[in-house]
Amino acid sequence: MDYSYVFLILLLPALTFLLLGLLGMKMPHKVAGLIGTISMGVVTAMCYYTAISYFLIEGRGADGLYPTITSFNFAWLKFNELLTFNIGFRIMPISAMMLVVISTISLMVHIYSFGYMHGEKGFQRYYAFLNLFTMSMLGLVVATNIFQMYLFWELVGVSSYLLIGFYYPKHAAVAASKKAFIVTRFADLFFLIGILIFSYYVGTFNFDVTLMSPEELQRMHEAAWIMPTALFLMFIGGAGKSAMFPLHIWLPDAMEGPTPVSALIHAATMVVAGVFLVASLYPMFIEFAPEALHWVAYIAAFTAFYAASVACCQSDIKRVLAFSTISQIGFMLVALGVCMPDPTTNAMADTAEYAHVNGLGYMAGMFHLFTHAMFKGLLFLCAGCIIEVVGSNEKAYMGNLHKYMPITHITFLIGCLAIAGIPPFSGFFSKDEILVACYNFSPWMGAFMSFVAMMTAFYMFRLYYVIFWGKGYYETHMSEGAKKPHEAPMTMTIPLIILAAVTCVCGFIPAGHFVSANGVSFDIHMDWTVAGTSVGLAVISILVATYMYAGQETPLADKLQRTFPRLHQAAYRRFYMDEVWMYFTHKIVFRFFSRPIAWFDRHVVDGSLNFMAWASNAAGESIRIWQSGDVRHYAVWFISGSVALTLMLLSFV
């Protein structure tokens, strides 16, 4: 197959960004939006063509593996043979899958934004930033080396900063964008250190072990003692992007950006970058850092539970979805982390062989990344329709909307059923395989993640009933001139219908035939014990949510809130993690690090320079009388000097 065209997948959105960024303000809104959307449509078509060609036409080789295809790879910066920074386009199974995910959600967001952002100041700037964001994520997933991945990783961070702070006149939006940028940059520092350690000892930025030279492989095995540290430091960078505890604090505040941006960040781009990173480095984790992989699973499992707990008590519908994303990303990373046997058991002595034989977690995690992108994008875009019509993110201003927004209602319900793991929707197939992998790893891990899945079904249907079946704000405040809800325009509902249709069918994709831990085709065998149990738990959670929230009044929920006010308030305040971070930064970082550094800067660095300036001025003042401009003074100094030199010479004779 000829993949020479793939450079356009990165070039088109980059050129669109420059065009709209530089000339967009001179264009009408619709023209700028059409340029951005058409460009994204072309990129999407190329991404689909590339993925179909790679998976179905190129196919597997004689060894049963999909080939790794490098379309182009040129030296961007070259200092010497070992220190060379390349930029290229590499197609692997997970990158081909990510091309489909990113382009699909981005195109839906572009179309949807025609209606949602209509009349907004900065409409052209918004579409320019969308194209920059998409290009950055596409460049990340097709990177030929870890340096290119880091380069586009940082561009993703810049893009998110620009889009989260799009409404820059609002103080909250500016604060949220800075918070997202600072927290993710803090995590990215560890990522960079890990890259530097890896490249120093291995002598390459290449992360694909199948493409390393024998010398590089030998150096990597010689550096086995430092590899776990390098890999875990890189994971910290991924944990920041994927909002893992305790680096999650930026993601809920990122809701200050436009809702379509939230869909793009949560479904297809920024937060899945950490999952993609761990999946890309998975062979090295298996070989050199299995214990680090276990810690990935433990951190992700706790994050999933923490985020689900917080989501149960939020009143802002976008924040519920934000914490839902954190929890679901936790599921994906747990799936990657449990591809190794439980360290507390002797399930199998040969861990590498175990990973090849039982790579269910890897496949399930990447499959859930795919399905989650579709239904989470759907849920966020539905939330945008509701917010656009109601004029608020708070559930108190909603209720009984099923009568006024039938398309949004049905599509939102499909998203809720999918994320709850109800068959035949896509979330059932991917989440069920994650739970099976967790039970294979450890019964305790399986039971814990099943409980978190049960919580997911509860808080999502709590949200569904409060929005669509609860006490209607319009009916109770009609006399006060409340705005009557209505269905969103077609530009916003068409993407909902498309994503809802994809959510209904994409679970039937044989994901293991395309993406697996060792590259070999992986056949999924449904474990009906786990599947039946998980569905039963999800149904119980839905019934509980129905009993508590389906009516016009919610007496049981109100009673529980009154009975446990501190627990409810703690969950609503995210268990005070923002306050903990504020205390840490102000009382520890600022006091013990920033203030001493500032003192050193003012008194030592500035003091030294100020002293040199003072000394120069003082010296100048002391000899200024020698340059008085009076000829008589010059004559006296000349004669005195001549006499002094004469006497000195005579004294040596």
Side-chain angles (χ1 to χ4, degrees):
M1 289 296 299
D2 180 17
Y3 295 98
S4 59
Y5 63 89
V6 294
F7 74 95
L8 294 172
I9 293 176
L10 302 181
L11 183 62
L12 274 180
L15 292 177
T16 305
F17 161 70
L18 293 175
L19 176 64
L20 297 181
L22 297 175
L23 303 176
M25 295 305 294
K26 298 180 181 179
M27 304 176 186
H29 284 197
K30 289 185 178 180
V31 173
L34 279 173
I35 291 174
T37 304
I38 292 172
S39 171
M40 195 63 242
V42 174
V43 170
T44 303
M46 288 191 291
C47 288
Y48 270 79
Y49 178 76
T50 302
I52 292 171
S53 299
Y54 180 75
F55 284 126
L56 302 181
I57 300 176
E58 186 84 36
R60 297 180 180 275
D63 55 0
L65 304 177
Y66 284 111
T68 297
I69 298 172
T70 302
S71 175
F72 65 88
N73 192 32
F74 62 89
W76 182 48
L77 296 173
K78 186 172 183 178
F79 298 96
N80 53 51
E81 291 301 323
L82 292 179
L83 189 59
T84 301
F85 301 137
N86 292 339
I87 290 181
F89 197 107
R90 180 177 294 170
I91 307 172
M92 302 179 294
I94 57 174
S95 61
M97 182 198 76
M98 289 302 299
L99 289 177
V100 173
V101 171
I102 296 166
S103 60
T104 301
I105 301 300
S106 183
L107 180 60
M108 294 300 103
V109 168
H110 275 73
I111 297 171
Y112 180 92
S113 297
F114 258 101
Y116 189 87
M117 299 298 292
H118 177 72
E120 289 279 1
K121 182 181 179 182
F123 185 89
Q124 301 94 326
R125 173 169 53 91
Y126 170 82
Y127 269 89
F129 292 163
L130 281 186
N131 276 268
L132 175 63
F133 203 171
T134 304
M135 183 275 294
S136 302
M137 192 64 195
L138 290 170
L140 190 158
V141 300
V142 299
T144 58
N145 58 83
I146 199 73
F147 175 79
Q148 180 185 343
M149 188 181 290
Y150 183 77
L151 174 65
F152 283 95
W153 187 279
E154 294 305 304
L155 279 175
V156 168
V158 171
S159 305
S160 66
Y161 168 79
L162 295 172
L163 284 167
I164 294 169
F166 177 79
Y167 297 120
Y168 60 87
K170 291 173 56 180
H171 174 74
V174 174
S177 63
K178 290 192 295 185
K179 187 176 184 180
F181 190 79
I182 292 170
V183 172
T184 52
R185 293 296 74 69
F186 172 74
D188 291 352
L189 173 63
F190 295 93
F191 186 17
L192 178 60
I193 295 172
I195 292 173
L196 295 177
I197 293 173
F198 171 80
S199 60
Y200 177 79
Y201 284 98
V202 182
T204 182
F205 291 103
N206 185 17
F207 59 85
D208 190 339
V209 295
T210 63
L211 299 178
M212 288 183 180
S213 66
E215 295 78 12
E216 291 168 346
L217 289 172
Q218 181 181 352
R219 285 195 296 267
M220 186 165 62
H221 281 86
E222 291 172 353
W225 62 276
I226 196 67
M227 287 295 291
T229 301
L231 290 170
F232 193 76
L233 287 171
M234 293 187 209
F235 163 70
I236 294 176
K241 276 285 192 294
S242 291
M244 291 292 100
F245 185 92
L247 299 171
H248 67 282
I249 56 173
W250 67 271
L251 192 58
D253 291 344
M255 299 302 98
E256 293 295 336
T259 303
V261 170
S262 302
L264 194 58
I265 290 176
H266 287 250
T269 54
M270 192 164 180
V271 294
V272 299
V275 181
F276 179 83
L277 173 66
V278 176
S280 299
L281 302 177
Y282 177 78
M284 286 189 280
F285 270 105
I286 289 290
E287 182 72 21
F288 300 104
E291 287 298 323
L293 205 58
H294 293 144
W295 278 106
V296 170
Y298 300 144
I299 293 169
F302 177 79
T303 301
F305 170 73
Y306 163 83
S309 303
V310 174
C312 289
C313 296
Q314 297 301 300
S315 59
D316 184 322
I317 65 171
K318 287 178 66 176
R319 291 190 189 276
V320 174
L321 296 178
F323 280 100
S324 170
T325 298
I326 297 173
S327 185
Q328 296 303 302
I329 297 295
F331 269 90
M332 299 173 203
L333 286 171
V334 165
L336 294 174
V338 299
C339 279
M340 300 291 289
D342 185 355
T344 62
T345 67
N346 294 317
M348 189 174 287
D350 190 348
T351 56
E353 180 66 20
Y354 179 95
H356 285 288
V357 172
N358 194 31
L360 177 62
Y362 182 96
M363 184 284 301
M366 299 311 293
F367 190 26
H368 196 58
L369 187 156
F370 182 88
T371 60
H372 174 265
M374 302 306 162
F375 60 69
K376 184 52 65 66
L378 169 63
L379 289 168
F380 263 108
L381 295 184
C382 286
C385 291
I386 296 165
I387 293 168
E388 179 77 1
V389 169
V390 173
S392 174
N393 296 10
E394 291 293 326
K395 62 183 180 63
Y397 294 94
M398 301 169 193
N400 215 24
L401 293 181
H402 74 280
K403 297 194 303 185
Y404 308 102
M405 307 180 71
I407 297 176
T408 305
H409 167 230
I410 296 299
T411 53
F412 193 91
L413 177 60
I414 290 172
C416 289
L417 290 169
I419 197 172
I422 301 298
F425 302 99
S426 59
F428 163 74
F429 296 95
S430 56
K431 187 177 290 186
D432 176 70
E433 298 306 323
I434 292 177
L435 295 178
V436 173
C438 290
Y439 278 107
N440 289 345
F441 174 79
S442 164
W444 290 105
M445 179 66 82
F448 183 82
M449 296 309 295
S450 294
F451 179 71
V452 177
M454 190 176 179
M455 296 173 68
T456 303
F458 172 79
Y459 68 68
M460 286 307 303
F461 274 85
R462 166 186 176 266
L463 183 64
Y464 164 74
Y465 282 120
V466 166
I467 294 173
F468 293 103
W469 296 93
K471 181 185 291 186
Y473 181 82
Y474 170 69
E475 288 88 348
T476 56
H477 294 76
M478 190 183 305
S479 60
E480 301 173 15
K483 183 181 177 183
K484 183 178 180 179
H486 56 84
E487 189 59 86
M490 291 296 291
T491 52
M492 297 172 67
T493 54
I494 287 176
L496 303 187
I497 296 169
I498 294 172
L499 289 176
V502 173
T503 298
C504 291
V505 301
C506 69
F508 295 99
I509 296 173
H513 290 188
F514 304 110
V515 176
S516 63
N518 60 353
V520 178
S521 182
F522 187 97
D523 289 314
I524 301 172
H525 300 287
M526 185 69 68
D527 187 329
W528 287 107
T529 301
V530 175
T533 303
S534 64
V535 172
L537 293 175
V539 170
I540 291 171
S541 294
I542 293 171
L543 292 175
V544 172
T546 303
Y547 178 73
M548 293 178 62
Y549 295 101
Q552 295 290 306
E553 302 293 337
T554 56
L556 180 56
D558 297 338
K559 182 179 179 181
L560 288 173
Q561 182 176 343
R562 291 192 301 269
T563 306
F564 304 102
R566 292 185 179 180
L567 179 61
H568 180 274
Q569 182 66 11
Y572 182 77
R573 296 286 297 274
R574 315 171 200 176
F575 293 101
Y576 305 104
M577 282 307 303
D578 283 74
E579 288 78 0
V580 170
W581 273 106
M582 290 298 291
Y583 179 87
F584 174 75
T585 53
H586 285 268
K587 300 297 184 181
I588 298 177
V589 176
F590 291 173
R591 177 180 296 179
F592 296 106
F593 294 95
S594 300
R595 289 180 184 174
I597 291 172
W599 182 92
F600 182 84
D601 181 61
R602 287 194 302 269
H603 294 85
V604 178
V605 178
D606 289 353
S608 299
L609 295 174
N610 291 338
F611 173 77
M612 287 189 287
W614 173 84
S616 298
N617 286 332
E621 289 291 335
S622 64
I623 65 174
R624 195 173 72 176
I625 58 174
W626 297 1
Q627 296 292 332
S628 63
D630 191 331
V631 176
R632 291 172 300 175
H633 287 173
Y634 293 161
V636 170
W637 283 111
F638 177 78
I639 294 172
S640 300
S642 300
V643 171
L645 288 173
T646 302
L647 293 175
M648 288 175 62
L649 292 172
L650 290 174
S651 66
F652 288 109
V653 175

